């Protein structure tokens, strides 16, 4: 990262790069909308 090249691109087998990529993969496949989800509140 200090050289301007992200660790994920510069050394994709580095443990930090693997962890960052895993987080990015999970975020990319996560549903974004709240449609059909229970919000855990009840109207009065």
């Amino acid at each position: 990262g200090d050289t301007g090249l992200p660790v994920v691109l510069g050394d994709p087998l580095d443990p930090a790069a693997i962890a960052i990529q895993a987080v990015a993969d999970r975020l990319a496949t996560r549903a974004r909308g709240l449609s059909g989800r229970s919000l855990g509140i009840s109207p009065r």
Side-chain angles (χ1 to χ4, degrees):
D2 292 339
T3 64
L5 182 66
V7 68
V8 176
L9 297 177
D11 188 4
L13 297 179
D14 183 271
I18 293 170
I20 292 169
Q21 189 62 50
V23 170
D25 290 342
R26 288 192 69 199
L27 288 174
T29 60
R30 188 175 189 172
R32 295 176 188 232
L34 294 176
S35 177
R37 294 182 119 188
S38 173
L39 299 178
I41 58 173
S42 59
R44 289 185 173 190

